[in-house]
Amino acid sequence: GVPLSGPTHVLSMGGLIVQLNKEELDMLNGRCGYPVQKAMEILVALGEAYGAERMVPVTGVHMPSTTVLIAGDAGVEFLEELLDKGARFVVRTTTNPSAIDPCIWQSLRMPEEMVRKQLGFSEVFRQLGALTCHTCSPYHIGFTPRLGEHVASGESSNVVYFNSVLGARTNREGAPAAIAAALTGRVPGYGLHLTENRKGRVLVRVRTELHDSTDYGALGYLVGKAYTRTVPVFEGVPPFATSENLKYLGAALNSSGAIPLYHVVGVTPEAPTVEAAFQHGKPEQVLDVTETDIEGARAYLGRAEGDKVDWVVLGCPHASIWELRELAQLISGKRVSPNVEFWVCVAQPTKAYAQRMGYAQEIEKAGVKIVCETCPTVTCGRDIACKLGDKVTMATNSAKMAHYSPAECSVPAFYGTTQQCVEAAISGTWRCAR
Ligand code: F3S
C-alpha cells in the first residue's frame, strides 16, 4: 500500500535490497547536491536497518530536537554547515519547542546566553525553510495531515496525535532522519507507514466514565504502563471526546509505554468499528479499566509530598485556544499567590488568538505567565526550579508533565484538573479532592 512516484531501480547495499525510483537514485548519486546525497544515504541506511523495501514520499515534517540544549554546539554547527552547502527543506516543515520564550524569557529566569544561542539556532531552521513555530502541538495551529497522508514527525506526543487522531502515518523520527526527510521529501517505508502495522493488538474496555482530560491522561498512563510498544484499541470512550481529551490520552500513552498509535472505536478515523480497528483479526489481549484503576493512576501520577505548591504548569502538550478560554474563565477576577509561579505553555499564534479574544488579558491579570514556544522540560527547568526555592513542587493537569518533571526538573508533581491547579495557584496549597 506504499505509494511510489515512478519505476523503481533495485539497489543493493550491504547485502540488503532497497528499491529507489529514478529521482531517489539521482539524490543518492549526488545529482541533487551534497546535502541531499547525505540525506538519502541516511534514509537508505535506516531503510536497510528496518527492512524497508522502498521509500515513501512525505508531505511534511515536524522536526524534533530543536532546542539548543538537546542539539548542543555540534548539532548547531552541523545544521549551519548544511545551510552553507545550499541545503533547503523541500516539504512543509514545523519545529518542536525551543529552549526559550523569545519575548518574556527574563521574567521566566532564562539565561541570556541560552537565549542568544537559541535565537541563532532557530534562525538556521528558518533559513532552511522551516516554519519556526516551536510547538509540540502543531495540529493546534494548522499542521493537520489527513487520513492516510505520509509525514515524518519527531516529538512523541505529536507522533501519537498524528497517527491516532488524524490517521496520518508517521514513525517517531529522530533528528537526523527528520532532517533527511525534510531535505528529500522521503522516508523509508516501514513501521507505521504500512497498513498491517497499524492494526489493533490490545482491546481496552473502558468500564467507567471519563470526566475530563485528566481522566484521559490517567487512562493512557495506566495502559502504557501495562503494555509498551503496542497498539491499544479503546472501547467505551464517549463519541464526544474532544481533541484535547485525545491529546492527553496519547501523550500519556507515549510517556509510560512509548506507544505511537492507538484507536478509539467510533472516534478515531481508523476505528469506525472494533473489527475495523483490529483489521478483522482478534485482540492479543483484553484489559478492563474501572474507576478504581483510573483513581489509582491519578494517585500514582500525583506523588508529591505535603501540600505546598510552588509551580503550576498547564499546556503539556501546548494548550489549545479552548484550553486558554477555560483557564480565563476559571481564573478571571482571582489572583495567583505571590509564592507560586504559574505557566501555561502554548504556541505563539495561540497566544495571539487569546489576546484578540481577551482571554490572555484575563489570564495575565491574574498573575499567570503565558509561555510561548517552550516548557519546563525542554528549557533549563532544573535551574529555574532552584531559583524558585527549596524543595519545589509542581501542580499540573498533564500526565506527561507529571511523569517527566521529577526526572527532568527534579520537581515532584501533584496531578489534577485545571480547576484544581487554579485553586492550588491561588492558595499555594494542593487539595486532593476534585
Ligand atoms: Fe510539549 Fe514540553 Fe510537554 S515539549 S509535550 S509541553 S514536555
Side-chain angles (χ1 to χ4, degrees), residues 15 59 87 145 150 184 240 250 261 284 298 323 340 427:
T59 54
H150 293 269
T184 60
F240 46 81
L261 167 66
E284 292 163 14
R298 293 178 71 95
E323 292 176 275
V340 174
S427 66

Side-chain angles (χ1 to χ4, degrees), residues 392-413:
V392 167
T393 55
M394 183 184 284
T396 181
N397 63 357
S398 161
K400 179 170 180 176
M401 184 56 68
H403 175 80
Y404 284 111
S405 66
E408 301 288 330
C409 308
S410 302
V411 175

Side-chain angles (χ1 to χ4, degrees), residues 154-161 172 250-251 254-255 259-260 400 404:
E155 171 51 42
S156 61
S157 70
N158 189 58
V159 169
V160 69
Y161 192 95
R172 183 183 176 185
N254 210 296
S255 302
I259 289 174
K400 179 170 180 176
Y404 284 111

Side-chain angles (χ1 to χ4, degrees), residues 44-103:
V44 168
L46 202 61
E48 284 181 357
Y50 285 96
E53 291 181 1
R54 59 197 72 182
M55 294 291 155
V56 183
V58 290
T59 54
V61 173
H62 183 65
M63 191 65 68
S65 306
T66 49
T67 144
V68 275
L69 299 181
I70 294 175
D73 290 343
V76 175
E77 281 161 23
F78 170 71
L79 218 62
E80 284 171 346
E81 196 187 326
L82 276 182
L83 184 64
D84 285 348
K85 290 195 157 76
R88 294 295 178 273
F89 295 158
V90 296
V91 292
R92 294 176 177 195
T93 301
T94 51
T95 53
N96 216 34
S98 83
I100 63 162
D101 180 314
C103 298

